[in-house]
């Protein structure tokens, strides 16, 4: 009996200890830190340097660069780098993009916002461009080193890494800045680019990239740019899949970006928010990632994605309940815990599904398009309508609306699963991952 239990326990843990998922963890760490450098970290730096609030919040526009990455993602698939190219298409770009990120972060470290806010803006945008390029390569490399059955666990490990990289870099920057100044803080944090570069050198070029040769120059430019889109839309049901990508997270995004407004209006203190929203939420998210990996492995892609979509929709109802109850630490802990647990599961299963949509010939360009499309509608609607909706109907009705808005994505995915469109739209990256 004990042997059987130990075997079951190890069978659940073993996939997380394999070479490719561990590499995905390292890739996630490096992917998360540039985002932190131009996010909360830069906001804190500018505020401490006495920059006015309007200027500080305007720096959030640097994140739009991440939504533009499909414009140059084809370069990662279609252009062979001179010199470094001998290491392989993916590894060479991984090293090159890592060097770009280090240089961009170092440049941001050396500018003085008090002396030139314009130079700081340019430096932040350069970090965004370099970070987005790093993301393009990291996502493609992660997908290609994972076997189809590892996509769930690998996506989970990548999510773990992203959280570690973004939170770790942000915390380290604050600690170093308080002792050695902001310039040194940014220079130290540039080292977070190294894990992904080391993973590339240790794991090496993905097998399919050794077989599918990339262009050695800009010859075949048309195929490099248009090929990823043509190949994707030639699949049966591709338009419906794209619609799902665009709408699947609209309700969740609308809700998530308004939580702090709700907490403020319910008179939660900063200490309560820090404990329940940050710490309880972080732990619940990590647990959700682990559970998501197990669900993906045990139930298959289609059923695990559907379950995660339903959970994320229901989590919005919990905040309608919190708004109805009012200031309640137990209510806040329950709502935040359930929401982050659901998001953790979705972060594994949905990311694994999106990864499975890519074709080995165009992994970088296709995943860049998918990841950009997945967030653009939710961000736009949140920025233009969320505040007005809350003022017009109140928090309870608002969160009920976000729950209803999530239904079309769930119903569309369910119908695509039943009709066979999910199976037929899968690319070569997930050709063996559609069972269940």
């Amino acid at each position: 009996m004990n042997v059987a239990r130990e075997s079951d326990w190890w069978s659940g843990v073993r996939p997380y200890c394999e070479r490719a998922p561990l590499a995905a963890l390292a890739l996630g760490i490096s992917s998360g830190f540039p985002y932190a450098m131009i996010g909360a970290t830069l906001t804190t730096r500018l505020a401490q340097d006495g920059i006015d609030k309007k200027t500080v919040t305007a720096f959030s526009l640097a994140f739009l660069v991440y939504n533009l990455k499909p414009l140059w993602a084809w370069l990662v698939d279609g252009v062979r780098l001179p010199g470094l190219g001998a290491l392989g298409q993916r590894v060479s770009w991984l090293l090159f993009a890592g060097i770009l990120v280090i240089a961009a972060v170092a440049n941001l470290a050396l500018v003085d916002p008090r002396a030139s806010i314009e130079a700081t803006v340019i430096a932040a945008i350069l970090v965004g461009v370099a970070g987005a390029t790093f993301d393009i390569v990291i996502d493609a490399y992660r997908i290609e080193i994972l076997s189809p059955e590892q996509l769930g666990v690998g996506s989970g490990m990548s999510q773990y890494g992203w959280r570690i990289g973004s939170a770790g870099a942000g915390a380290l920057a604050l600690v170093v800045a308080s002792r050695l100044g902001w310039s040194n803080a940014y220079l130290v944090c540039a080292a977070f680019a190294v894990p992904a570069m080391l993973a590339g050198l240790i794991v090496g070029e993905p097998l399919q990239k050794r077989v599918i040769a990339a262009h050695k120059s800009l010859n075949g430019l048309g195929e490099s740019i248009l090929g990823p889109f043509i190949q994707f839309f030639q699949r049966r049901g591709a338009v419906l899949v794209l619609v799902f990508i665009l709408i699947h997270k609209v309700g969740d995004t609308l809700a998530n970006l308004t939580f702090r407004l709700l907490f403020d209006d319910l008179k939660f203190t900063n200490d309560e928010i820090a404990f329940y929203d940050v710490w309880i939420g972080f732990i619940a998210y990590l647990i959700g990632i682990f559970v998501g990996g197990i669900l993906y492995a045990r139930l298959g892609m289609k059923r695990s994605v559907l379950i995660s979509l339903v959970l994320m929709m229901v989590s919005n109802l919990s905040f309608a309940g919190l708004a109805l109850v009012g200031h309640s630490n137990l209510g806040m802990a329950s709502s935040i815990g359930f929401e982050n647990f659901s998001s953790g599961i979705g972060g594994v299963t949905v990311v694994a599904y999106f990864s499975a949509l890519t074709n080995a010939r165009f992994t970088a360009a296709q995943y860049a398009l998918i990841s950009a499309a997945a967030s653009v509608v939710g961000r736009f609607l949140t920025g233009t309508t969320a505040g007005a909706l809350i003022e017009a109907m109140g928090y309870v009705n608002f969160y009920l609306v976000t729950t209803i808005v999530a239904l079309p994505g769930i119903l569309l995915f369910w119908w695509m699963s039943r009709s066979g469109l999910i199976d037929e739209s899968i690319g070569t990256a997930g050709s063996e991952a559609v069972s269940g």
Side-chain angles (χ1 to χ4, degrees):
M1 180 68 71
N2 290 336
V3 174
R5 288 179 180 175
E6 183 177 346
S7 177
D8 290 340
W9 176 85
W10 176 242
S11 66
V13 174
R14 182 177 57 195
Y16 291 89
C17 301
E18 294 172 350
R19 188 183 188 191
L22 287 174
L25 176 67
L27 295 169
I29 291 172
S30 294
S31 175
F33 101 92
Y35 205 82
M37 293 296 95
I38 57 175
T41 302
L42 184 58
T43 298
T44 303
R45 179 188 182 184
L46 294 173
Q48 292 181 357
D49 283 345
I51 307 301
D52 65 271
K53 289 182 174 61
K54 183 182 293 186
T55 303
V56 171
T57 56
F59 272 81
S60 64
L61 294 174
F63 287 120
L64 288 177
V65 175
Y66 280 84
N67 288 100
L68 300 177
K69 60 186 179 182
L71 296 178
W72 69 90
W74 61 270
L75 289 167
V76 176
D77 281 328
V79 175
R80 185 180 178 88
L81 295 172
L84 283 175
L87 296 172
Q89 184 72 5
R90 290 290 179 244
V91 174
S92 61
W93 270 96
L94 197 59
L95 295 177
F96 177 66
I99 293 170
L100 284 181
V101 168
I102 292 173
V105 172
N107 179 57
L108 184 58
L110 298 177
V111 299
D112 183 357
R114 290 168 295 189
S116 175
I117 197 66
E118 293 81 7
T120 308
V121 169
I122 294 172
I125 292 173
L126 289 176
V127 172
V129 172
T133 305
F134 210 17
D135 261 10
I136 293 168
V137 190
I138 284 173
D139 286 333
Y141 188 68
R142 169 182 55 81
I143 293 168
E144 291 170 354
I145 62 173
L146 295 168
S147 61
E149 62 271 13
Q150 290 177 320
L151 283 177
V153 171
S155 298
M157 292 292 272
S158 178
Q159 293 291 312
Y160 277 130
W162 200 95
R163 286 280 175 150
I164 293 170
S166 58
L172 180 62
L174 290 172
V175 171
V176 175
S178 65
R179 291 161 175 79
L180 302 174
W182 280 107
S183 293
N184 288 314
Y186 272 81
L187 291 173
V188 169
C189 287
F192 275 82
V194 174
M197 300 166 75
L198 287 177
L201 291 173
I202 293 171
V203 175
E205 191 72 359
L207 179 61
Q208 56 264 53
K209 281 300 169 186
R210 297 173 192 161
V211 177
I212 303 173
H215 297 302
K216 294 183 179 181
S217 67
L218 288 177
N219 294 330
L221 185 62
E223 181 189 354
S224 295
I225 298 175
L226 299 178
F229 303 98
I230 294 172
Q231 195 281 328
F232 181 84
F233 285 105
Q234 283 177 338
R235 307 174 200 175
R236 180 171 173 259
V239 173
L240 286 176
V241 172
L242 181 60
V243 171
F244 170 75
I245 293 169
L246 289 168
I247 70 171
H248 81 284
K249 206 176 180 181
V250 172
D252 197 53
T253 302
L254 277 169
N256 285 348
L257 295 180
T258 61
F259 291 160
R260 290 296 175 92
L261 295 176
L262 172 66
F263 300 155
D264 183 65
D265 284 347
L266 293 181
K267 308 303 180 184
F268 284 101
T269 66
N270 286 344
D271 287 345
E272 289 171 331
I273 294 172
F275 180 74
Y276 294 107
D277 189 16
V278 178
W279 289 110
I280 297 296
F282 180 71
I283 293 170
Y285 189 83
L286 296 185
I287 295 172
I289 290 173
F290 184 77
V291 173
I294 294 174
L295 286 177
Y296 188 88
R298 299 287 176 86
L299 300 181
M301 183 181 70
K302 289 178 285 188
R303 281 183 288 179
S304 63
V305 170
L306 188 60
I307 289 171
S308 67
L309 292 174
V310 172
L311 287 174
M312 287 190 289
M313 177 189 71
V314 174
S315 70
N316 289 353
L317 284 177
S318 67
F319 287 93
L322 178 61
L324 189 63
V325 170
H327 189 126
S328 166
N329 288 340
L330 178 60
M332 185 181 190
S334 301
S335 300
I336 286 294
F338 183 51
E339 195 280 328
N340 278 273
F341 175 75
S342 303
S343 294
I345 294 175
V348 174
T349 60
V350 177
V351 169
Y353 168 51
F354 288 166
S355 301
L357 289 172
T358 62
N359 185 278
R361 180 67 184 85
F362 306 108
T363 312
Q366 287 182 346
Y367 194 83
L369 173 65
I370 291 167
S371 61
S375 62
V376 66
V377 175
R379 287 177 180 175
F380 175 77
L381 289 178
T382 301
T384 56
T385 65
L389 286 174
I390 291 172
E391 290 180 355
M393 63 179 60
Y395 284 107
V396 175
N397 289 330
F398 171 77
Y399 289 119
L400 290 176
V401 168
T402 65
T403 303
I404 295 171
V405 169
L407 270 174
I410 295 174
L411 294 176
L412 178 57
F413 188 85
W414 174 81
W415 182 83
M416 291 192 303
S417 297
R418 294 294 297 271
S419 66
L421 288 182
I422 296 293
D423 295 28
E424 295 184 34
S425 65
I426 292 298
T428 56
S431 56
E432 300 171 20
V434 294
S435 61

